[in-house]
Amino acid sequence: MAKYFDVHPDNPQQRTISNVAERIRSGGLVAYPTDSCFALGCQMGNRDGINQIRSIRNLDDRHHFTLMCQNFAQLGQFVHIDKDVFRAIKAATPGSYTFILPATKEVPRQLPHPKKKTVGVRIPDHVVTQALLAELGEPLLSSTLLLPDEDEPMTQGWEIKERLDHVVDAVIDSGDCGTEPTTVIDFSSGEAEIVRRGAGDTARFE
């Protein structure tokens, strides 16, 4: 049964954030809010958590998981990025963008795209997510909480708790979340390719 955490959206309670982080370190899968919509998250090397996300969302092995990073310094440890791409991404973060880039050896081998060896990375502009990432001290492996055969992600923490009670370990609720996933930009070729138009403005990449 999932533990439900009601967190203040502007001043998240440190004890609660620490509790959630400990659950993640212990192999837990959490549903949490971001600056675009709710996401599922677990520790990077958590193979069972990864498989659980695949099962919940009915994903194949070509799905790009996202490493939710606290800041740019952390992001740079997990993807290869040249100067031009660096400047473009730096100007757009933090924000509702996911960037697809070649993965470094720091990324667990089950995460990158099997053929392209790429992974998604992003830096969220969300107080609660940032507090959790700061407490973890490492990226949170994530995927949008969009269930199979549904057009929009769930927006209410209590609804997530009801529907996913036996498949996630914790639900963080800090109020209504959006329904629009991130804008996805593929920089793996060195040039910006808009893969998905979402919450982030695409004008700077066109």
Side-chain angles (χ1 to χ4, degrees), residues 124-192:
D125 186 14
H126 192 278
V127 173
V128 174
T129 313
Q130 281 289 343
L132 181 58
L133 292 171
E135 181 66 23
L136 278 172
E138 63 178 84
L140 186 59
L141 183 145
S142 300
S143 183
T144 301
L145 208 177
L146 181 62
L147 299 182
D149 302 320
E150 295 195 5
D151 295 327
E152 290 189 344
M154 287 182 282
T155 62
Q156 306 281 345
W158 62 264
E159 181 188 12
I160 294 169
K161 159 74 172 163
E162 282 190 355
R163 296 187 61 182
L164 301 181
D165 202 25
H166 296 289
V167 291
V168 301
D169 298 283
V171 176
I172 306 173
D173 190 354
S174 61
D176 285 1
C177 220
T179 60
E180 194 171 19
T182 57
T183 289
V184 179
I185 310 293
D186 188 340
F187 268 118
S188 59
S189 68
E191 301 290 332

Side-chain angles (χ1 to χ4, degrees), residues 77-137:
Q77 298 175 39
F78 297 94
V79 289
H80 296 289
I81 184 167
D82 65 28
K83 290 182 180 179
D84 290 338
V85 174
F86 174 94
R87 284 192 292 267
I89 294 178
K90 183 78 170 175
T93 55
S96 300
Y97 298 93
T98 298
F99 301 100
I100 296 174
L101 289 159
T104 68
K105 292 182 179 179
E106 300 297 317
V107 178
R109 63 180 184 178
Q110 68 266 33
L111 297 187
H113 187 284
K115 290 184 178 179
K116 300 179 181 179
K117 306 303 179 187
T118 48
V119 69
V121 287
R122 89 178 194 89
I123 303 171
D125 186 14
H126 192 278
V127 173
V128 174
T129 313
Q130 281 289 343
L132 181 58
L133 292 171
E135 181 66 23
L136 278 172

